[in-house]
Amino acid sequence: MSINSHDHPITRRLAASLFAAAVTLSTAAASFAADTVVLRVGDQKGGNRSLLEISGYAKDLPYRIEWSEFPAAAPILEALNAGALDVGYTGDLSFLSVYAAGAPIKAIGGTKSDAKTQAILVRQDSPIKSAADLKGKRLAGTRGGWGQFLIDATLEKAQIKLEDATFAPLGPVDAKVALVAGSIDAWAVWEPYVSFATLKDKARVIADGDGLTPTITFIVATDSAIATKRVAVLDLLQRLNKARLWSLDHISEYAKSTAELTKLPEDVLLSAYAAQRTSPIPIDENVVKEVQEASDRSTRYGILPKTLDVSKAVDRSFTAAAAGSN
């Protein structure tokens, strides 16, 4: 299965930047000191490392990457905050939760997926047919991230008070078990969990994030890495962007490779990747505005402790550097 990357408006906006960055970065290699720069990068199994390798963009690095694998995004953020990593990635709201607590980090790039791939699931035999049926129910999702936000936004859209449903803060693994066992009524989650639950557990989608959530995954760097390893960080970001464009045109190959690494079923990953259509994005005014709206709603829901200025949480100079090298 192949999706032509030229069919994506987001990727077209980035194309000129990628070409310009290639010119800049080809000459930038000479600026690395004799002592090789080491980038400490946080990853998850089947994540950015495997994407770079399968796409071929892990070759000929003018610096060394020290990869650390984590079971989820939350510990990646903890390691970034502690200074144990230089670069990592996480969902938009999880990033803002840690940034709001004072972590010395910035979003420098990212990807966007179809918002419908964030969804609220119920068991096949559940009497729940739509969001209107969630009143009085026990709903599970990640605290401070996409799960909790989607639950709150969905309840609000259905004109159900947040206090009229019970939120169960569970990670994806525990929530999946709880849904199958019937100890929760519904589960808010994202891909590939959505595809796994619908294909293998026969779960049903009763609501999704369309029109509610940005569904952006940020590439995040520490302030220290931005200041001291900027050229290497920029190069890594551009390689990740190119690798993501590659994946859109090689979905079957990408799914097969990731299935071998993660042991997830290949049909699940194929379904997830086709639905997500994950594309690289520049950090521009549109992204800042969209995430700001989600941030303000999160503050209103009590997910974020205070109102944030998203423009200060991102570093747009990496996007500007690529465009300005034209």
Side-chain angles (χ1 to χ4, degrees), residues 32-41 49 58 60-67 86-87 229 232-233 235-236 239:
F32 286 94
D35 295 330
T36 303
V37 171
V38 177
L39 276 186
R40 301 167 301 165
V41 183
R49 181 178 187 176
D60 303 320
L61 293 172
Y63 48 89
R64 183 166 62 86
I65 295 180
E66 186 178 280
W67 294 98
D86 297 313
V87 180
K229 302 179 181 180
V233 172
D235 180 87
L236 175 61
R239 288 172 186 265

Side-chain angles (χ1 to χ4, degrees), residues 43-64:
D43 196 30
Q44 298 178 58
K45 186 178 289 293
N48 284 333
R49 181 178 187 176
S50 61
L51 175 59
L52 285 175
E53 290 176 350
I54 187 64
S55 65
Y57 286 104
K59 297 177 181 178
D60 303 320
L61 293 172
Y63 48 89
R64 183 166 62 86

Side-chain angles (χ1 to χ4, degrees), residues 16-39:
S17 294
L18 291 178
F19 176 77
V23 176
T24 300
L25 296 173
S26 65
T27 58
S31 68
F32 286 94
D35 295 330
T36 303
V37 171
V38 177
L39 276 186

Side-chain angles (χ1 to χ4, degrees), residues 103-132:
I105 56 178
K106 297 288 188 301
I108 62 170
T111 59
K112 186 176 179 65
S113 301
D114 190 320
K116 291 180 181 179
T117 58
Q118 286 188 43
I120 295 181
L121 307 172
V122 298
R123 294 195 337 175
Q124 185 180 33
D125 60 356
S126 171
I128 298 172
K129 303 300 180 185
S130 71

Side-chain angles (χ1 to χ4, degrees), residues 304-320:
L304 293 177
K306 60 184 178 181
T307 300
L308 297 177
D309 182 349
V310 171
S311 68
K312 294 181 179 179
V314 302
D315 187 333
R316 295 176 56 183
S317 68
F318 287 86
T319 295

Side-chain angles (χ1 to χ4, degrees), residues 202 214 296:
K202 306 306 179 186
D296 292 343

Side-chain angles (χ1 to χ4, degrees), residues 17 44 70 82 123 139 156 164 174 183 219 224 239 267 285 294 308 326:
S17 294
Q44 298 178 58
F70 295 82
R123 294 195 337 175
L139 316 176
E156 183 177 56
D164 286 342
D174 291 335
S183 56
I219 303 298
S224 175
R239 288 172 186 265
D267 61 335
E285 288 291 348
L308 297 177
N326 223 349

Side-chain angles (χ1 to χ4, degrees), residues 10 15 19 43 47 52 64 75 82 91 93 99 135 139 197 199 210 216 253 274 277 282-283 294 302 319:
I10 292 173
F19 176 77
D43 196 30
L52 285 175
R64 183 166 62 86
L93 296 177
Y99 176 82
K135 185 175 181 178
L139 316 176
L199 290 174
D210 191 28
I216 290 171
E253 186 178 350
R277 301 166 69 89
I283 304 298
T319 295

